[in-house]
Amino acid sequence: MSGTQYNAQKIHYHTGFKQSTNDYDIALLRTATPISFTDTVRPVCLPAYGQIFPSGETCWISGWGFTAEGGPISLVLREAPVLLINNKVCSTMDIYGINITPRMVCAGYMDGGIDSCQGDSGGPLVCLSDGSWKLVGVVSWGEGCGRPNRPGVYTNVTELLDWLYYHIQADKDLP
């Protein structure tokens, strides 16, 4: 694998994270040196407070995770389109039931196929909105890797903006 590596100067873990439920599954890293942006390394915007991303909207995931459940890890960064799935659908008993909280969003395809998988955790779920890419979610968990009725589950960034902005502001004076 090629690319630039960055050391973490500081890591903020959400204190509400529960391993048993994966609720509040988010962390914020401050790199020791600034990230160099290029034609292929670009920043993504945070969503606005209360911004709605409608079910059925096509968004994008990317990562170096497994290419299939139990399969090989990817040697190249992969990207794929996924559809946002309404949490009312995702939280039905035949899918994930009560395991879906307001701090989660589901994306993928109910008939299976394209999905995030092991090794993609922490990667972005981005949607194009108002002419810019917005970070809608962060790969968190799921039981599918493309299995039917098991879409990917992502941390809902819009629900955790206060936490993100608090830690971004707190770190602004670090060297």
Side-chain angles (χ1 to χ4, degrees):
M1 230 182 288
S2 65
T4 305
Q5 294 183 10
Y6 294 90
N7 291 322
Q9 179 181 12
K10 192 164 190 177
I11 304 172
H12 298 281
Y13 300 97
H14 200 293
T15 57
F17 174 70
K18 293 177 181 62
Q19 190 171 6
S20 61
T21 62
N22 289 310
D23 204 6
Y24 295 95
D25 187 11
I26 195 165
L28 187 62
L29 305 175
R30 179 178 177 90
T31 56
T33 57
I35 294 174
S36 298
F37 294 113
T38 67
D39 288 342
T40 57
V41 177
R42 308 283 309 242
V44 64
C45 299
L46 290 173
Y49 281 97
Q51 186 167 0
I52 303 294
F53 296 93
S55 300
E57 182 172 345
T58 300
C59 298
W60 289 82
I61 54 174
S62 57
W64 284 274
F66 289 11
T67 55
E69 190 169 4
I73 198 155
S74 181
L75 297 177
V76 297
L77 179 63
R78 293 178 178 266
E79 63 181 48
V82 290
L83 301 177
L84 294 181
I85 299 170
N86 188 298
N87 273 16
K88 288 181 182 176
V89 172
C90 205
S91 63
T92 59
M93 292 313 294
D94 58 332
I95 302 177
Y96 291 127
I98 62 170
N99 296 312
I100 301 299
T101 74
R103 288 153 306 276
M104 299 174 189
V105 62
C106 295
Y109 299 91
M110 294 309 294
D111 57 354
I114 299 169
D115 196 0
S116 55
C117 201
Q118 293 100 335
D120 290 325
S121 296
L125 169 66
V126 297
C127 302
L128 188 60
S129 176
D130 301 324
S132 65
W133 290 99
K134 302 289 198 288
L135 181 64
V136 174
V138 179
V139 179
S140 179
W141 65 279
E143 299 173 358
C145 291
R147 287 184 17 219
N149 291 324
R150 292 293 182 258
V153 183
Y154 301 79
T155 301
N156 185 341
V157 172
T158 304
E159 290 292 319
L160 297 172
L161 286 173
D162 283 339
W163 181 87
L164 286 164
Y165 283 123
Y166 172 82
H167 288 290
I168 291 168
Q169 184 67 24
D171 282 1
K172 74 177 178 62
D173 293 327
L174 288 177

